[in-house]
Amino acid sequence: MRNILVLLTLSVFLNSSYGQVKNEIRQNPKLVVGIVVDQMRYDYLTRFYNKYGEGGFKRMIREGFNCKNNHFNYIPTYTGPGHASIYTGTTPKYHGIIANNWYDKYTKSMVYCAGDSLVKSIGTSTNSGQMSPHRLMSTTFGDENRLFTQMRGKTIGISIKDRGAVLPAGHAANGAYWFHGKKEGVWISSSYYMEALPKWVKDFNNSGIANTYFKDWNTLYNISSYVESGPDLNEFEGEFKGKDKPTFPYNLKKLKKKNGYYDILKFTPYGNSLTTDFAIAAIEGEALGKDYDTDVLTVSFSSTDYIGHKFGVNSKEIEDTYIRLDIDLERLFLALDKRVGKNEYVVFLTADHGAVDVPAYLKSHKIEAGYVYGKNRKEKFQKFLMDEFGDNTIVENISSNQIFLNKEKIKALGLSLEDVQNSIANEQITYNHVYKTFTANSMVTTNYSKGIEALLQNGYNQKRSGDVLLVNAPNYIYYRKTGTTHGSGFNYDTHVPLLFLGKGIKQGATFKRTEIPDIAPTISALLGISFPNAATGQPLEFVLKND
């Protein structure tokens, strides 16, 4: 009798415990949506705040958590490394995506962060679909969620840019989709993920939605009310071919032929709208958030970057783009409320990098800024190599502010690699607008804890990075005199938004410093899954509810 009572008690306990565990698992959000706004500076949140509606950025700030002092903690601040770092919870030092394109020291050729010649394009006959995450050396939190749920939880990546879809989605994703413009205007993928596009993607491509965006791009509100940006006509902005001034309105139907047909949409807010349309279709088509296994949707809005590069930080075009993006965010959130449930999903929003004000514009206001011209520096450097070493072929490649040396040639000349690195670093620091120089040897033998040095070290990958690293002075860039770019470790490139909203997220804000690699561990902690395997960030405990 006593044994029977013990068994009954044990049975009740196990059933009770199982029910509790099952209930706790069900407390996870049904869907995690990661949003990356390409080239979004933090001050776009505050500068355009009064122009935003209540359902987009302001909803995230009002109902969610705002990390106001959020930064990238490495150099370089480019799109590929940014997206990889957000979702892996680490830096290029460990995930290996050291740039968008970099020189491969072993194949002696330039490689693209998402390029993969061993896979086939799906959805186009061009090579635009030959992409995969094979160069990403770490798992993403989407990968870890897939493993945790025995592959039942889905991961889908979406972006106008291929790298903005592929790298966030990770290795084990169900699908990654990006927009192939030119004369096709379709969403495509890669044989890495599938043999054919799903029906919902084919239906979307056949719907003609992309064609509806060939219309006039004018300011949403009266242009005179856009007091948060500079004059519409100025000398600091690029132009569309076929239009003599970079001023509103833009007749896209008229301009498309000279500007890459569907590719022109990437340079307008309608590229973001098209991305939103496709993301909403993906939620429905993939039945995301419809069961108890958490799904992951990554959405990267790329048009903000294209527009920033062309028109610059202070342009009317940028202001209108963010006002319209705010409306698209509200559309996306309302679709999530309806299809997944208002309290059943979690969203975070951040950026892959910021951007510098157009140096010519800064200089016009007496702020130290300018451009680095490569021709004079190259000629001077070539002369130095001949005078110092008697051979200028000891340098194989210069790209992404890195100098790659020919180690076989150095050895054949009987030179010390460390001495050559030091000599080149000491030479480069004498050139105009070179702010700092470091050698690969210093990156692996010295532990830097702060400053530009630490950012470079976090971005330095021993197998992939160069022999000498260069840092340009603040506000000095390799670029044309119109539009803007990014890539540095200065605040204009590192300070980006970080907003959380949804299930398991507290309401609040902080000026406490947070860093990009903290995002993936925070989402992993929220889901109760393993951190990405190379993650170095820490969960932002103050963002998460304790219950």
Side-chain angles (χ1 to χ4, degrees), residues 122-163:
I122 301 296
T124 178
S125 58
T126 70
N127 63 0
S128 297
Q130 289 188 288
M131 305 291 164
S132 85
H134 75 108
R135 289 193 170 92
L136 183 64
M137 298 167 69
S138 167
T139 60
T140 64
F141 73 76
D143 288 331
E144 297 299 336
N145 185 65
R146 291 274 286 155
L147 294 169
F148 182 82
T149 61
Q150 300 301 310
M151 301 296 164
R152 293 188 299 268
K154 290 185 176 181
T155 297
I156 301 292
I158 293 169
S159 176
I160 289 282
K161 294 181 180 179
D162 47 54
R163 58 187 178 272

mmCIF file of all heavy atoms in Angstrom, residues 122-163:
data_model
loop_
_atom_site.group_PDB
_atom_site.id
_atom_site.type_symbol
_atom_site.label_atom_id
_atom_site.label_comp_id
_atom_site.label_asym_id
_atom_site.label_seq_id
_atom_site.Cartn_x
_atom_site.Cartn_y
_atom_site.Cartn_z
ATOM 1 N N ILE A 122 18.085 30.729 -57.418
ATOM 2 C CA ILE A 122 16.710 30.249 -57.448
ATOM 3 C C ILE A 122 15.792 31.453 -57.652
ATOM 4 O O ILE A 122 15.781 32.364 -56.825
ATOM 5 C CB ILE A 122 16.326 29.523 -56.129
ATOM 6 C CG1 ILE A 122 17.262 28.333 -55.884
ATOM 7 C CG2 ILE A 122 14.870 29.081 -56.156
ATOM 8 C CD1 ILE A 122 17.187 27.233 -56.916
ATOM 9 N N GLY A 123 15.078 31.458 -58.757
ATOM 10 C CA GLY A 123 14.152 32.552 -59.047
ATOM 11 C C GLY A 123 14.659 33.510 -60.102
ATOM 12 O O GLY A 123 13.955 34.438 -60.497
ATOM 13 N N THR A 124 15.901 33.305 -60.582
ATOM 14 C CA THR A 124 16.469 34.122 -61.650
ATOM 15 C C THR A 124 17.517 33.308 -62.396
ATOM 16 O O THR A 124 18.136 32.404 -61.819
ATOM 17 C CB THR A 124 17.105 35.412 -61.099
ATOM 18 O OG1 THR A 124 17.681 36.162 -62.180
ATOM 19 C CG2 THR A 124 18.196 35.096 -60.091
ATOM 20 N N SER A 125 17.716 33.638 -63.660
ATOM 21 C CA SER A 125 18.738 32.949 -64.454
ATOM 22 C C SER A 125 20.103 33.624 -64.307
ATOM 23 O O SER A 125 21.109 33.112 -64.810
ATOM 24 C CB SER A 125 18.331 32.933 -65.930
ATOM 25 O OG SER A 125 18.152 34.263 -66.409
ATOM 26 N N THR A 126 20.145 34.767 -63.627
ATOM 27 C CA THR A 126 21.416 35.458 -63.397
ATOM 28 C C THR A 126 22.148 34.812 -62.222
ATOM 29 O O THR A 126 21.624 33.924 -61.551
ATOM 30 C CB THR A 126 21.179 36.946 -63.085
ATOM 31 O OG1 THR A 126 20.576 37.068 -61.790
ATOM 32 C CG2 THR A 126 20.261 37.570 -64.122
ATOM 33 N N ASN A 127 23.364 35.300 -61.938
ATOM 34 C CA ASN A 127 24.129 34.758 -60.810
ATOM 35 C C ASN A 127 23.839 35.488 -59.503
ATOM 36 O O ASN A 127 24.543 35.292 -58.508
ATOM 37 C CB ASN A 127 25.627 34.792 -61.111
ATOM 38 C CG ASN A 127 26.150 36.215 -61.298
ATOM 39 O OD1 ASN A 127 25.405 37.193 -61.203
ATOM 40 N ND2 ASN A 127 27.443 36.325 -61.606
ATOM 41 N N SER A 128 22.796 36.324 -59.476
ATOM 42 C CA SER A 128 22.476 37.115 -58.282
ATOM 43 C C SER A 128 22.031 36.260 -57.099
ATOM 44 O O SER A 128 22.006 36.735 -55.961
ATOM 45 C CB SER A 128 21.377 38.133 -58.606
ATOM 46 O OG SER A 128 21.819 39.051 -59.573
ATOM 47 N N GLY A 129 21.689 35.018 -57.368
ATOM 48 C CA GLY A 129 21.277 34.133 -56.283
ATOM 49 C C GLY A 129 22.373 33.231 -55.766
ATOM 50 O O GLY A 129 22.132 32.395 -54.885
ATOM 51 N N GLN A 130 23.587 33.389 -56.271
ATOM 52 C CA GLN A 130 24.691 32.523 -55.824
ATOM 53 C C GLN A 130 25.258 33.045 -54.506
ATOM 54 O O GLN A 130 26.349 33.607 -54.443
ATOM 55 C CB GLN A 130 25.764 32.453 -56.905
ATOM 56 C CG GLN A 130 25.330 31.649 -58.125
ATOM 57 C CD GLN A 130 26.475 31.434 -59.096
ATOM 58 O OE1 GLN A 130 26.922 32.360 -59.785
ATOM 59 N NE2 GLN A 130 26.966 30.205 -59.151
ATOM 60 N N MET A 131 24.469 32.842 -53.468
ATOM 61 C CA MET A 131 24.792 33.351 -52.141
ATOM 62 C C MET A 131 24.538 32.281 -51.083
ATOM 63 O O MET A 131 23.644 31.451 -51.235
ATOM 64 C CB MET A 131 23.933 34.582 -51.813
ATOM 65 C CG MET A 131 24.002 35.701 -52.832
ATOM 66 S SD MET A 131 25.608 36.513 -52.853
ATOM 67 C CE MET A 131 25.506 37.373 -54.440
ATOM 68 N N SER A 132 25.325 32.343 -50.005
ATOM 69 C CA SER A 132 25.097 31.466 -48.856
ATOM 70 C C SER A 132 25.868 32.040 -47.666
ATOM 71 O O SER A 132 26.727 32.911 -47.834
ATOM 72 C CB SER A 132 25.564 30.032 -49.150
ATOM 73 O OG SER A 132 26.949 29.893 -48.894
ATOM 74 N N PRO A 133 25.623 31.501 -46.456
ATOM 75 C CA PRO A 133 26.347 31.971 -45.272
ATOM 76 C C PRO A 133 27.642 31.199 -44.998
ATOM 77 O O PRO A 133 28.118 31.191 -43.867
ATOM 78 C CB PRO A 133 25.319 31.734 -44.153
ATOM 79 C CG PRO A 133 24.585 30.517 -44.601
ATOM 80 C CD PRO A 133 24.509 30.598 -46.102
ATOM 81 N N HIS A 134 28.229 30.581 -46.002
ATOM 82 C CA HIS A 134 29.345 29.660 -45.746
ATOM 83 C C HIS A 134 30.582 30.370 -45.189
ATOM 84 O O HIS A 134 31.444 29.711 -44.586
ATOM 85 C CB HIS A 134 29.700 28.873 -47.018
ATOM 86 C CG HIS A 134 30.434 29.658 -48.059
ATOM 87 N ND1 HIS A 134 31.767 29.471 -48.334
ATOM 88 C CD2 HIS A 134 30.026 30.641 -48.892
ATOM 89 C CE1 HIS A 134 32.145 30.287 -49.296
ATOM 90 N NE2 HIS A 134 31.105 31.014 -49.654
ATOM 91 N N ARG A 135 30.702 31.675 -45.357
ATOM 92 C CA ARG A 135 31.857 32.386 -44.796
ATOM 93 C C ARG A 135 31.619 32.865 -43.362
ATOM 94 O O ARG A 135 32.535 33.382 -42.721
ATOM 95 C CB ARG A 135 32.239 33.578 -45.688
ATOM 96 C CG ARG A 135 32.860 33.158 -47.013
ATOM 97 C CD ARG A 135 33.511 34.300 -47.764
ATOM 98 N NE ARG A 135 34.273 33.789 -48.884
ATOM 99 C CZ ARG A 135 33.789 33.634 -50.121
ATOM 100 N NH1 ARG A 135 32.534 33.984 -50.383
ATOM 101 N NH2 ARG A 135 34.553 33.141 -51.088
ATOM 102 N N LEU A 136 30.404 32.700 -42.857
ATOM 103 C CA LEU A 136 30.086 33.067 -41.482
ATOM 104 C C LEU A 136 30.566 31.952 -40.566
ATOM 105 O O LEU A 136 30.112 30.805 -40.668
ATOM 106 C CB LEU A 136 28.575 33.277 -41.341
ATOM 107 C CG LEU A 136 28.050 33.729 -39.979
ATOM 108 C CD1 LEU A 136 28.571 35.116 -39.626
ATOM 109 C CD2 LEU A 136 26.522 33.725 -39.979
ATOM 110 N N MET A 137 31.458 32.271 -39.625
ATOM 111 C CA MET A 137 32.130 31.243 -38.822
ATOM 112 C C MET A 137 31.417 30.918 -37.509
ATOM 113 O O MET A 137 31.857 30.042 -36.768
ATOM 114 C CB MET A 137 33.567 31.695 -38.532
ATOM 115 C CG MET A 137 34.404 31.870 -39.794
ATOM 116 S SD MET A 137 35.977 32.755 -39.528
ATOM 117 C CE MET A 137 36.865 31.539 -38.577
ATOM 118 N N SER A 138 30.324 31.598 -37.210
ATOM 119 C CA SER A 138 29.589 31.376 -35.963
ATOM 120 C C SER A 138 28.138 31.047 -36.266
ATOM 121 O O SER A 138 27.626 31.353 -37.346
ATOM 122 C CB SER A 138 29.663 32.641 -35.096
ATOM 123 O OG SER A 138 28.724 32.594 -34.026
ATOM 124 N N THR A 139 27.454 30.443 -35.298
ATOM 125 C CA THR A 139 26.010 30.284 -35.409
ATOM 126 C C THR A 139 25.324 31.605 -35.064
ATOM 127 O O THR A 139 25.901 32.477 -34.424
ATOM 128 C CB THR A 139 25.475 29.194 -34.461
ATOM 129 O OG1 THR A 139 25.785 29.562 -33.110
ATOM 130 C CG2 THR A 139 26.061 27.840 -34.770
ATOM 131 N N THR A 140 24.081 31.728 -35.485
ATOM 132 C CA THR A 140 23.224 32.851 -35.098
ATOM 133 C C THR A 140 22.247 32.367 -34.038
ATOM 134 O O THR A 140 22.116 31.152 -33.800
ATOM 135 C CB THR A 140 22.430 33.367 -36.296
ATOM 136 O OG1 THR A 140 21.528 32.323 -36.738
ATOM 137 C CG2 THR A 140 23.352 33.759 -37.449
ATOM 138 N N PHE A 141 21.513 33.303 -33.411
ATOM 139 C CA PHE A 141 20.514 32.830 -32.447
ATOM 140 C C PHE A 141 19.380 32.106 -33.168
ATOM 141 O O PHE A 141 18.719 31.245 -32.593
ATOM 142 C CB PHE A 141 19.997 33.961 -31.549
ATOM 143 C CG PHE A 141 19.080 34.958 -32.196
ATOM 144 C CD1 PHE A 141 17.751 34.650 -32.465
ATOM 145 C CD2 PHE A 141 19.521 36.241 -32.486
ATOM 146 C CE1 PHE A 141 16.901 35.585 -33.037
ATOM 147 C CE2 PHE A 141 18.673 37.174 -33.048
ATOM 148 C CZ PHE A 141 17.359 36.847 -33.332
ATOM 149 N N GLY A 142 19.174 32.410 -34.459
ATOM 150 C CA GLY A 142 18.203 31.656 -35.244
ATOM 151 C C GLY A 142 18.633 30.207 -35.425
ATOM 152 O O GLY A 142 17.816 29.287 -35.340
ATOM 153 N N ASP A 143 19.934 29.988 -35.654
ATOM 154 C CA ASP A 143 20.469 28.622 -35.726
ATOM 155 C C ASP A 143 20.247 27.876 -34.415
ATOM 156 O O ASP A 143 19.827 26.707 -34.406
ATOM 157 C CB ASP A 143 21.978 28.659 -36.016
ATOM 158 C CG ASP A 143 22.310 29.081 -37.426
ATOM 159 O OD1 ASP A 143 21.495 28.846 -38.333
ATOM 160 O OD2 ASP A 143 23.393 29.664 -37.626
ATOM 161 N N GLU A 144 20.550 28.555 -33.311
ATOM 162 C CA GLU A 144 20.405 27.903 -32.008
ATOM 163 C C GLU A 144 18.941 27.598 -31.698
ATOM 164 O O GLU A 144 18.632 26.565 -31.083
ATOM 165 C CB GLU A 144 21.008 28.785 -30.902
ATOM 166 C CG GLU A 144 22.510 29.021 -31.034
ATOM 167 C CD GLU A 144 23.313 27.742 -30.958
ATOM 168 O OE1 GLU A 144 22.838 26.744 -30.372
ATOM 169 O OE2 GLU A 144 24.457 27.733 -31.480
ATOM 170 N N ASN A 145 18.036 28.459 -32.145
ATOM 171 C CA ASN A 145 16.608 28.193 -31.950
ATOM 172 C C ASN A 145 16.160 27.000 -32.782
ATOM 173 O O ASN A 145 15.335 26.192 -32.342
ATOM 174 C CB ASN A 145 15.787 29.430 -32.315
ATOM 175 C CG ASN A 145 14.312 29.252 -32.019
ATOM 176 O OD1 ASN A 145 13.896 29.114 -30.874
ATOM 177 N ND2 ASN A 145 13.499 29.240 -33.079
ATOM 178 N N ARG A 146 16.708 26.891 -33.985
ATOM 179 C CA ARG A 146 16.391 25.739 -34.824
ATOM 180 C C ARG A 146 16.851 24.445 -34.141
ATOM 181 O O ARG A 146 16.111 23.452 -34.099
ATOM 182 C CB ARG A 146 17.089 25.874 -36.182
ATOM 183 C CG ARG A 146 16.537 26.985 -37.052
ATOM 184 C CD ARG A 146 15.353 26.549 -37.876
ATOM 185 N NE ARG A 146 15.774 25.700 -38.987
ATOM 186 C CZ ARG A 146 14.983 24.797 -39.577
ATOM 187 N NH1 ARG A 146 13.768 24.593 -39.129
ATOM 188 N NH2 ARG A 146 15.430 24.083 -40.596
ATOM 189 N N LEU A 147 18.065 24.445 -33.598
ATOM 190 C CA LEU A 147 18.569 23.269 -32.906
ATOM 191 C C LEU A 147 17.733 22.957 -31.666
ATOM 192 O O LEU A 147 17.408 21.795 -31.396
ATOM 193 C CB LEU A 147 20.035 23.490 -32.512
ATOM 194 C CG LEU A 147 21.035 23.600 -33.669
ATOM 195 C CD1 LEU A 147 22.388 24.075 -33.156
ATOM 196 C CD2 LEU A 147 21.181 22.268 -34.399
ATOM 197 N N PHE A 148 17.388 23.982 -30.915
ATOM 198 C CA PHE A 148 16.642 23.818 -29.672
ATOM 199 C C PHE A 148 15.262 23.210 -29.923
ATOM 200 O O PHE A 148 14.780 22.381 -29.139
ATOM 201 C CB PHE A 148 16.491 25.185 -28.989
ATOM 202 C CG PHE A 148 15.786 25.141 -27.667
ATOM 203 C CD1 PHE A 148 16.461 24.803 -26.505
ATOM 204 C CD2 PHE A 148 14.431 25.453 -27.582
ATOM 205 C CE1 PHE A 148 15.807 24.770 -25.287
ATOM 206 C CE2 PHE A 148 13.773 25.428 -26.362
ATOM 207 C CZ PHE A 148 14.462 25.082 -25.210
ATOM 208 N N THR A 149 14.628 23.601 -31.014
ATOM 209 C CA THR A 149 13.270 23.131 -31.323
ATOM 210 C C THR A 149 13.271 21.897 -32.229
ATOM 211 O O THR A 149 12.244 21.560 -32.809
ATOM 212 C CB THR A 149 12.454 24.246 -31.995
ATOM 213 O OG1 THR A 149 13.089 24.616 -33.238
ATOM 214 C CG2 THR A 149 12.336 25.476 -31.107
ATOM 215 N N GLN A 150 14.421 21.249 -32.355
ATOM 216 C CA GLN A 150 14.539 20.076 -33.246
ATOM 217 C C GLN A 150 14.116 20.419 -34.672
ATOM 218 O O GLN A 150 13.452 19.654 -35.363
ATOM 219 C CB GLN A 150 13.718 18.901 -32.703
ATOM 220 C CG GLN A 150 14.139 18.438 -31.316
ATOM 221 C CD GLN A 150 15.592 18.011 -31.272
ATOM 222 O OE1 GLN A 150 16.042 17.219 -32.095
ATOM 223 N NE2 GLN A 150 16.339 18.537 -30.298
ATOM 224 N N MET A 151 14.501 21.618 -35.079
ATOM 225 C CA MET A 151 14.259 22.131 -36.430
ATOM 226 C C MET A 151 12.779 22.445 -36.706
ATOM 227 O O MET A 151 12.411 22.698 -37.854
ATOM 228 C CB MET A 151 14.804 21.175 -37.510
ATOM 229 C CG MET A 151 16.290 20.916 -37.391
ATOM 230 S SD MET A 151 17.253 22.433 -37.654
ATOM 231 C CE MET A 151 18.843 21.956 -36.988
ATOM 232 N N ARG A 152 11.948 22.433 -35.660
ATOM 233 C CA ARG A 152 10.534 22.767 -35.878
ATOM 234 C C ARG A 152 10.336 24.282 -35.973
ATOM 235 O O ARG A 152 9.480 24.749 -36.714
ATOM 236 C CB ARG A 152 9.679 22.193 -34.753
ATOM 237 C CG ARG A 152 9.616 20.671 -34.713
ATOM 238 C CD ARG A 152 8.600 20.185 -33.695
ATOM 239 N NE ARG A 152 8.952 20.620 -32.344
ATOM 240 C CZ ARG A 152 9.694 19.911 -31.495
ATOM 241 N NH1 ARG A 152 10.177 18.732 -31.869
ATOM 242 N NH2 ARG A 152 9.958 20.362 -30.281
ATOM 243 N N GLY A 153 11.097 25.052 -35.201
ATOM 244 C CA GLY A 153 11.013 26.503 -35.282
ATOM 245 C C GLY A 153 11.662 26.993 -36.565
ATOM 246 O O GLY A 153 12.790 26.631 -36.891
ATOM 247 N N LYS A 154 10.947 27.800 -37.323
ATOM 248 C CA LYS A 154 11.451 28.269 -38.613
ATOM 249 C C LYS A 154 12.328 29.512 -38.460
ATOM 250 O O LYS A 154 12.184 30.278 -37.505
ATOM 251 C CB LYS A 154 10.283 28.608 -39.547
ATOM 252 C CG LYS A 154 9.495 27.420 -40.053
ATOM 253 C CD LYS A 154 8.439 27.884 -41.057
ATOM 254 C CE LYS A 154 7.691 26.709 -41.661
ATOM 255 N NZ LYS A 154 6.681 27.154 -42.653
ATOM 256 N N THR A 155 13.208 29.723 -39.436
ATOM 257 C CA THR A 155 13.950 30.975 -39.568
ATOM 258 C C THR A 155 13.886 31.420 -41.018
ATOM 259 O O THR A 155 14.233 30.663 -41.927
ATOM 260 C CB THR A 155 15.426 30.824 -39.158
ATOM 261 O OG1 THR A 155 15.507 30.479 -37.780
ATOM 262 C CG2 THR A 155 16.186 32.114 -39.390
ATOM 263 N N ILE A 156 13.434 32.659 -41.218
ATOM 264 C CA ILE A 156 13.313 33.244 -42.551
ATOM 265 C C ILE A 156 14.021 34.599 -42.546
ATOM 266 O O ILE A 156 13.798 35.422 -41.651
ATOM 267 C CB ILE A 156 11.833 33.454 -42.958
ATOM 268 C CG1 ILE A 156 11.068 32.114 -42.931
ATOM 269 C CG2 ILE A 156 11.732 34.123 -44.330
ATOM 270 C CD1 ILE A 156 11.492 31.129 -43.996
ATOM 271 N N GLY A 157 14.874 34.844 -43.537
ATOM 272 C CA GLY A 157 15.580 36.117 -43.662
ATOM 273 C C GLY A 157 15.121 36.885 -44.890
ATOM 274 O O GLY A 157 14.962 36.296 -45.965
ATOM 275 N N ILE A 158 14.925 38.208 -44.741
ATOM 276 C CA ILE A 158 14.401 39.045 -45.827
ATOM 277 C C ILE A 158 15.157 40.371 -45.880
ATOM 278 O O ILE A 158 15.353 41.022 -44.850
ATOM 279 C CB ILE A 158 12.901 39.324 -45.631
ATOM 280 C CG1 ILE A 158 12.074 38.046 -45.781
ATOM 281 C CG2 ILE A 158 12.398 40.390 -46.603
ATOM 282 C CD1 ILE A 158 10.635 38.200 -45.347
ATOM 283 N N SER A 159 15.566 40.775 -47.084
ATOM 284 C CA SER A 159 16.200 42.072 -47.268
ATOM 285 C C SER A 159 16.294 42.385 -48.752
ATOM 286 O O SER A 159 16.353 41.473 -49.582
ATOM 287 C CB SER A 159 17.603 42.083 -46.659
ATOM 288 O OG SER A 159 18.258 43.302 -46.905
ATOM 289 N N ILE A 160 16.315 43.669 -49.084
ATOM 290 C CA ILE A 160 16.636 44.063 -50.458
ATOM 291 C C ILE A 160 18.040 43.558 -50.811
ATOM 292 O O ILE A 160 18.278 43.056 -51.905
ATOM 293 C CB ILE A 160 16.577 45.599 -50.615
ATOM 294 C CG1 ILE A 160 15.120 46.107 -50.555
ATOM 295 C CG2 ILE A 160 17.239 46.038 -51.907
ATOM 296 C CD1 ILE A 160 14.314 45.919 -51.794
ATOM 297 N N LYS A 161 18.979 43.688 -49.876
ATOM 298 C CA LYS A 161 20.350 43.232 -50.100
ATOM 299 C C LYS A 161 20.489 41.753 -49.763
ATOM 300 O O LYS A 161 19.970 41.299 -48.735
ATOM 301 C CB LYS A 161 21.326 44.018 -49.213
ATOM 302 C CG LYS A 161 21.453 45.489 -49.538
ATOM 303 C CD LYS A 161 22.466 46.138 -48.602
ATOM 304 C CE LYS A 161 22.633 47.613 -48.881
ATOM 305 N NZ LYS A 161 23.611 48.246 -47.956
ATOM 306 N N ASP A 162 21.255 41.029 -50.578
ATOM 307 C CA ASP A 162 21.461 39.601 -50.298
ATOM 308 C C ASP A 162 22.140 39.385 -48.949
ATOM 309 O O ASP A 162 21.718 38.538 -48.164
ATOM 310 C CB ASP A 162 22.255 38.927 -51.433
ATOM 311 C CG ASP A 162 23.488 39.706 -51.853
ATOM 312 O OD1 ASP A 162 24.320 40.021 -50.996
ATOM 313 O OD2 ASP A 162 23.613 40.019 -53.058
ATOM 314 N N ARG A 163 23.188 40.175 -48.651
ATOM 315 C CA ARG A 163 23.897 39.969 -47.388
ATOM 316 C C ARG A 163 23.033 40.326 -46.177
ATOM 317 O O ARG A 163 23.235 39.799 -45.085
ATOM 318 C CB ARG A 163 25.211 40.755 -47.363
ATOM 319 C CG ARG A 163 25.086 42.255 -47.560
ATOM 320 C CD ARG A 163 26.483 42.877 -47.674
ATOM 321 N NE ARG A 163 26.469 44.326 -47.907
ATOM 322 C CZ ARG A 163 26.419 44.893 -49.104
ATOM 323 N NH1 ARG A 163 26.365 44.129 -50.191
ATOM 324 N NH2 ARG A 163 26.434 46.215 -49.238
#
